Structures are given as structure tokens and as C-alpha cells.
Amino acid sequence: MEQAKAGDLDAFERLVVLHQRAALQVAYVIAGPDAEDAAQEGFVKAFRALGRFRSGSPFRPWLLRIVANEARNHRRSAARRAGLALRLAERPPGGEAVERSPEEAVLGALSRADLVRAVSGLPERDRLTLAYRFFVGLSEAEMATAMACRPGTVKSRLARALSRLRQALPDDPAARSSEASVG
């Protein structure tokens, strides 16, 4: 990061390669079909803003915040709300195996089409909160940085977003499995 901040283009290119997938995932959640353009412009804006980056701060949340803002700008300028594409959200970044949370298990049990429809119908803040946590894999601390809020706020936003997502789903698999075990 310090090399990139000092003007080393190769160092910035390495940062782009390292964070490209996460940036694209966040941009897809917000901007849909314009995601690639939004992510690319987010990287350009981040490069121009490197001088304002605080040394010692985490780079990833800072970058993803810029990308999210650029994706919002693309979405507003395009005035389109159709077809939120969530490809790339199937595995955690890097493809490493991780233990799944109960929320991730429920999301995994859904058909991709149902999930896309449910998430695309949520308010933007909920979509972004879910993307940061489940599609990009940010920790709550990283989410707080990216969302410019306190960690407690992240927890409440995540709980509300998950609740709204459950309500938006056509048939909640968690309810279905708990009903089967009761009856």
C-alpha cells in the first residue's frame, strides 16, 4: 500500500488484482449489469485518492466503500433497477473452505433464482450489508469501516437485513426444516 501511495503503479496493480473479485461482487449487488464499469471506475477513483488514505488503516474496506459509492452513482445515472446479478457470490473470496453460519446454510439451501429475486427486492442498504458479509466475507469490524458506522450498528443492520430477506423469500427453508422436525 505504501508503495502504491508513493506512486508505484505496479504496486497499485497488485492491489487491484488482490481486491478485484470483492470489488466486483460489491458492485454487482448495487449496480447489476453496470458492475464492471462501476468497479473499474472505483479503482480509478481509489488511485486518485491514495494521497488521502490513512497509513495503517485497512485498505480493503476503504476501497470497497469507494466502489460501493461509484456503483450507486452508476445505478442512479442508469435509472435501471432490473436484474441484479449476483454471480461470483457462490464461494467465499479465494475459494477457501470455511465453516458455514446458520444464515449461510439457509442461503445455500435456496435456489439461486429465488435468492436473486429476494435480494434484489431489498432496500439498497440491506443489499450492501448482505453483500459485505456473505458475498465478500468482510468481518463486522471491516464492515463498520466500509459502512462508516459503529460495529454495533453493523450487527443491527445485518439482523434487520436478514429478517427482511427471510420475509422476501418465497418459502423459508429454515422454517420448512424446523416444521419437519416438530411434526
Side-chain angles (χ1 to χ4, degrees):
M1 180 57 212
E2 292 303 318
Q3 292 172 335
K5 199 171 174 180
D8 183 343
L9 292 176
D10 289 333
F12 188 74
E13 183 178 346
R14 288 190 301 273
L15 288 171
V16 168
V17 169
L18 185 63
H19 299 288
Q20 188 171 5
R21 181 179 173 103
L24 193 55
Q25 288 174 320
V26 168
Y28 265 116
V29 169
I30 297 170
D34 293 332
E36 290 181 23
D37 291 338
Q40 184 175 9
E41 288 180 32
F43 278 114
V44 169
K45 286 188 177 186
F47 180 75
R48 290 183 184 149
L50 281 175
R52 295 189 305 264
F53 178 77
R54 286 190 331 243
S55 294
S57 298
F59 177 74
R60 186 175 177 182
W62 179 80
L63 170 68
L64 293 178
R65 186 174 182 185
I66 292 171
V67 170
N69 287 338
E70 191 57 35
R72 277 189 210 98
N73 292 342
H74 268 262
R75 185 179 174 119
R76 275 190 284 255
S77 68
R80 286 184 244 135
R81 300 190 68 121
L84 180 61
L86 293 176
R87 69 169 209 218
L88 302 175
E90 293 174 356
R91 281 188 275 159
E96 65 272 4
V98 294
E99 192 170 311
R100 292 170 54 169
S101 70
E103 293 87 0
E104 290 169 318
V106 169
L107 293 176
L110 295 171
S111 81
R112 187 162 176 72
D114 288 340
L115 181 59
V116 169
R117 275 191 292 277
V119 171
S120 66
L122 295 176
E124 181 179 314
R125 185 163 74 182
D126 290 346
R127 289 193 317 268
L128 186 59
T129 300
L130 294 170
Y132 280 158
R133 182 69 183 114
F134 297 108
F135 301 134
V136 180
L138 292 184
S139 68
E140 288 178 1
E142 290 173 319
M143 289 174 65
T145 300
M147 295 164 59
C149 65
R150 296 176 181 213
T153 303
V154 168
K155 288 181 182 186
S156 63
R157 285 184 186 175
L158 188 54
R160 282 193 297 271
L162 286 169
S163 175
R164 288 184 188 116
L165 178 59
R166 281 185 203 103
Q167 292 172 358
L169 293 172
D171 185 9
D172 187 354
R176 191 172 46 231
S177 65
S178 66
E179 289 170 5
S181 64
V182 171

